[in-house]
Amino acid sequence: MYEIKLNSTYFLSLLSAVIVCIMFNLFIKNEIDYSYMILDIYDVNNMVSQGKNIIITTIVINRLKQMVLLIILMKAFGGKNIYNIVMMLLGGVLGFVLSAQIYYLGLSGVLIILAYIFPHYVFYILAMVYENNSGLFELGNKDNIKKISTFVMIFTVGVIFECLFMTFFLKNFHQYMVS
């Protein structure tokens, strides 16, 4: 397995999360309403009432589109470049959403974020780290079926966990955390 090395990418990801948290707090002082960032209980109930298959289909289609987009971007601009950009964006988005959740929901906002991203985002990040360390989609790299299969397998495990966990979480726990 590839070792995760602390490098500038992880530092920039953390830095972008902190910067976005600070920016959010400055914007909140200007009374800008970010409550739309909170997943409303009415919307969750609508999603759950549509059935498990609708939720799973939506998750699979969205993640498949994201994976295809990532592969195209990595092939076009180099895997390491896109990896650095994605990690910075993930840090920024995490900082913004975490700030909004804490501001509007308090401590339960942190618990909701943790429930939204674990365990499936661990696999998505592992897939990105694996791609970065293996140089799978670097410019000029010949495609290796074993590496591509490993990347797709890690990503697929993340999708399976997201389908199983999110449907269970949305159906059983979300309503108690935001009310």
Side-chain angles (χ1 to χ4, degrees), residues 52 55-68 70 116-127 151-168:
K52 194 179 208 180
I55 296 171
I56 290 172
T57 304
T58 303
I59 290 170
V60 169
I61 289 172
N62 286 332
R63 295 300 175 243
L64 185 61
K65 287 191 290 188
Q66 289 171 351
M67 186 170 69
V68 169
L70 274 175
Y116 283 161
I117 64 175
F118 288 111
H120 50 282
Y121 265 86
V122 171
F123 290 98
Y124 298 148
I125 292 172
L126 281 176
F151 174 77
V152 170
M153 183 184 70
I154 295 170
F155 201 86
T156 303
V157 169
V159 170
I160 291 169
F161 269 102
E162 185 173 8
C163 289
L164 296 175
F165 184 74
M166 288 310 292
T167 53
F168 177 77

Side-chain angles (χ1 to χ4, degrees), residues 1-2 4 67 70 74 83 87 120-137 147-148 150-158:
M1 191 71 190
Y2 292 94
I4 298 175
M67 186 170 69
L70 274 175
M74 287 176 176
Y83 173 79
M87 292 305 278
H120 50 282
Y121 265 86
V122 171
F123 290 98
Y124 298 148
I125 292 172
L126 281 176
M128 290 294 295
V129 169
Y130 175 78
E131 186 286 323
N132 185 49
N133 290 340
S134 68
L136 180 62
F137 298 112
K147 287 181 180 180
I148 291 173
T150 303
F151 174 77
V152 170
M153 183 184 70
I154 295 170
F155 201 86
T156 303
V157 169

Side-chain angles (χ1 to χ4, degrees), residues 6-20:
L6 185 60
N7 62 22
S8 60
T9 302
Y10 303 111
F11 173 74
L12 288 174
S13 181
L14 275 172
L15 183 64
S16 64
V18 170
I19 289 171
V20 170

Side-chain angles (χ1 to χ4, degrees), residues 21-177:
C21 283
I22 292 169
M23 288 173 51
F24 177 83
N25 288 314
L26 292 174
F27 291 147
I28 265 309
K29 288 181 181 179
N30 292 328
E31 299 180 6
I32 298 173
D33 184 21
Y34 290 105
S35 61
Y36 64 89
M37 295 293 293
I38 308 302
L39 192 54
D40 187 19
I41 191 66
Y42 176 75
D43 295 335
V44 171
N45 288 336
N46 280 341
M47 288 181 352
V48 171
S49 68
Q50 291 178 1
K52 194 179 208 180
N53 291 338
I54 299 293
I55 296 171
I56 290 172
T57 304
T58 303
I59 290 170
V60 169
I61 289 172
N62 286 332
R63 295 300 175 243
L64 185 61
K65 287 191 290 188
Q66 289 171 351
M67 186 170 69
V68 169
L69 178 64
L70 274 175
I71 290 171
I72 290 171
L73 288 173
M74 287 176 176
K75 277 298 202 185
F77 301 107
K80 295 207 184 300
N81 297 330
I82 300 301
Y83 173 79
N84 290 335
I85 291 169
V86 167
M87 292 305 278
M88 285 177 48
L89 288 175
L90 282 176
V93 168
L94 178 64
F96 187 83
V97 172
L98 188 60
S99 294
Q101 293 287 92
I102 291 171
Y103 183 79
Y104 289 106
L105 300 175
L107 184 59
S108 66
V110 175
L111 297 175
I112 289 173
I113 288 295
L114 290 175
Y116 283 161
I117 64 175
F118 288 111
H120 50 282
Y121 265 86
V122 171
F123 290 98
Y124 298 148
I125 292 172
L126 281 176
M128 290 294 295
V129 169
Y130 175 78
E131 186 286 323
N132 185 49
N133 290 340
S134 68
L136 180 62
F137 298 112
E138 279 300 315
L139 296 172
N141 189 10
K142 301 287 184 195
D143 292 342
N144 183 338
I145 296 298
K146 184 178 177 185
K147 287 181 180 180
I148 291 173
S149 299
T150 303
F151 174 77
V152 170
M153 183 184 70
I154 295 170
F155 201 86
T156 303
V157 169
V159 170
I160 291 169
F161 269 102
E162 185 173 8
C163 289
L164 296 175
F165 184 74
M166 288 310 292
T167 53
F168 177 77
F169 171 74
L170 290 175
K171 186 176 181 182
N172 297 312
F173 294 108
H174 187 295
Q175 62 190 355
Y176 302 114
M177 295 179 88

